[in-house]
Amino acid sequence: MSALDFTPTSTTRRLGDDERARILAAPGFGTHFTDFMAHARWTVQDGWAESSVLPYGPLQLSPAAAVLHYGQEIFEGLKAFRHADGSVWTFRPEANAERMQRSARRLALPELSAEDFLASLRALTAADEPWVPEPTGEESLYLRPFMFASEEFLGVRASHTVDYYVIASPAGPYFPRGVQPLVVWITDEYARAGAGGTGAAKCGGNYASSLLARRQAVENGADEVLFLDSETHTGIDELSGMNVFAITRDGRVLTPSLTGSILEGVTRASVLRLAQDRGLEVAEQRLVMSEVLEQLDSGEITEMFACGTAAVITPIGSFMAHGGTWTVGDGGSGETTLALRKELTDIQYGRIPDRHGWLTRLV
Ligand code: COI
């Protein structure tokens, strides 16, 4: 049972039907927002309270709000998918709820119960139901829960006031070029997260620390940046916002193990399961970058891909670093990569049976 009640305070839509239809025809990623947002506030005195669904709009925040100075903030990402019968579903939300609780613990923020997390998603998606696209390709409504330190206080300690919001954004493919193979730059200069740090938490700081390396990647002609472990600079960690997989010629599916410095992706866990279901051998292990590059040259590794909620499964076509360029397979989209992608999205859009019980109905 959810303790918080996310009742709408208004039913007046921000945007008209024509404007919404125009946006839904080409949503892009992360640029358009819906009519409403869910909110709850936590205080050290009263715990979670004051929950509602409000009109989407700018927040009023003190310039001294702790988040603006010390970055005490976490977030999640999920998608709402419209099925052929008009119903709206989301994918493994309990995994996001649990990860948000782990992130909250690491960032000294209050935990929100899985029931309240789900109640906020349901209430917002019901209010914004016309914003859930009818998929023609891979459109969905991207849901972005986040929580931050809103106390007006400049002392360094965990905030005594915290705000939680969920906003929603109609989404097409994350990458503007769609499911085209990515060019990935391997940074030898920066690390994303270190031992004992916040790498496993979904906090804004991890993404902030990736931006300079990502900019260098783009300046070098790549789409994305790959980070190595901060201790030895030899093991693969992850991209700026996605986990990484390799598939060998003999059908083994490999991904870096959860060392505490990489994000425990929901898509990552789902891919491991779907690969196992196909009879493929899966392994979570340390992947040494130099060995992976050798195995790309020798043809031992035939496919690589990045994955995350936003990016789904996106093939990696090549790697670049100061020392050269390495092509993955023939540089195109690998067969197993595309098969896993199809199966995952077929489950999400209700086109094949949900044999693992991964879907939760929202509307
Ligand atoms: C997601 O995949 O949902 C994320 O939160 C990653 C972000 C780069 C969009």
Side-chain angles (χ1 to χ4, degrees):
M1 260 292 283
S2 143
L4 296 176
D5 179 12
F6 291 91
T7 303
T9 58
S10 152
T11 52
T12 308
R13 296 203 171 277
R14 191 171 63 99
L15 300 180
D17 292 351
D18 290 350
E19 175 77 341
R20 187 175 61 246
R22 192 186 60 75
I23 292 169
L24 290 179
F29 184 88
T31 47
H32 299 287
F33 298 91
T34 58
D35 298 320
F36 299 104
M37 58 188 183
H39 173 243
R41 174 163 293 166
W42 177 93
T43 60
V44 80
Q45 296 83 15
D46 299 333
W48 288 107
E50 287 187 48
S51 52
S52 63
V53 168
L54 304 161
Y56 176 90
L59 307 181
Q60 267 225 339
L61 201 60
S62 161
V67 65
L68 301 177
H69 304 272
Y70 308 127
Q72 193 190 5
E73 185 269 356
I74 56 173
F75 67 96
E76 273 301 325
L78 306 88
K79 284 174 171 169
F81 303 96
R82 192 179 293 282
H83 287 191
D85 65 359
S87 58
V88 179
W89 301 73
T90 194
F91 186 73
R92 307 188 76 177
E94 61 293 334
N96 295 85
E98 285 165 17
R99 186 171 63 189
M100 195 163 202
Q101 291 172 342
R102 291 195 298 276
S103 300
R105 285 199 288 277
R106 181 63 185 84
L107 273 286
L109 285 161
E111 289 178 42
L112 186 69
S113 74
E115 292 76 19
D116 288 332
F117 180 83
L118 193 60
S120 69
L121 302 183
R122 270 194 218 285
L124 180 64
T125 310
D128 276 329
E129 192 272 339
W131 282 97
V132 185
E134 301 279 352
T136 51
E138 254 176 40
E139 295 81 9
S140 61
L141 185 65
Y142 186 75
L143 302 171
R144 171 53 66 87
F146 60 105
M147 190 191 287
F148 58 89
S150 48
E151 185 184 355
E152 188 174 42
F153 180 55
L154 293 183
V156 180
R157 59 145 168 76
S159 182
H160 288 178
T161 310
V162 170
D163 280 278
Y164 167 76
Y165 286 89
V166 189
I167 56 173
S169 176
Y174 180 72
F175 291 106
R177 290 190 291 120
V179 195
Q180 294 303 311
L182 298 172
V183 179
V184 172
W185 173 259
I186 307 162
T187 179
D188 57 7
E189 206 173 333
Y190 299 107
R192 178 185 164 277
T198 57
K202 204 160 175 64
C203 63
N206 290 342
Y207 296 77
S209 79
S210 77
L211 298 178
L212 179 59
R214 191 179 180 284
R215 183 156 76 193
Q216 286 184 347
V218 171
E219 283 165 1
N220 281 286
D223 302 297
E224 271 297 332
V225 62
L226 177 72
F227 291 97
L228 304 177
D229 74 274
S230 65
E231 215 168 317
T232 68
H233 299 284
T234 56
I236 294 182
D237 263 4
E238 64 179 318
L239 303 187
S240 55
M242 282 152 267
N243 295 121
V244 179
F245 277 79
I247 305 180
T248 63
R249 187 170 39 203
D250 55 1
R252 280 175 306 128
V253 177
L254 312 174
T255 195
S257 37
L258 300 172
T259 53
S261 65
I262 66 172
L263 194 78
E264 197 172 339
V266 177
T267 311
R268 175 188 179 279
S270 308
V271 164
L272 285 169
R273 190 60 213 254
L274 293 179
Q276 261 173 337
D277 291 354
R278 288 173 173 261
L280 299 171
E281 189 189 322
V282 305
E284 297 173 69
Q285 62 181 58
R286 183 172 148 75
L287 292 180
V288 176
M289 189 76 241
S290 58
E291 293 173 9
V292 166
L293 296 177
E294 276 167 26
Q295 289 171 340
L296 288 174
D297 280 343
S298 71
E300 172 63 21
I301 290 177
T302 49
E303 303 183 33
M304 290 194 67
F305 60 85
C307 70
T309 297
V312 195
I313 292 175
T314 304
I316 297 174
S318 61
F319 288 97
M320 290 165 67
H322 287 301
T325 298
W326 296 262
T327 306
V328 182
D330 61 5
S333 306
E335 201 180 312
T336 306
T337 302
L338 290 184
L340 288 167
R341 186 179 211 288
K342 180 169 185 320
E343 186 169 16
L344 179 66
T345 51
D346 280 349
I347 293 172
Q348 292 173 332
Y349 286 96
R351 294 188 288 249
I352 59 172
D354 172 26
R355 64 180 181 279
H356 294 299
W358 282 342
L359 297 181
T360 292
R361 187 164 179 178
L362 292 177
V363 184

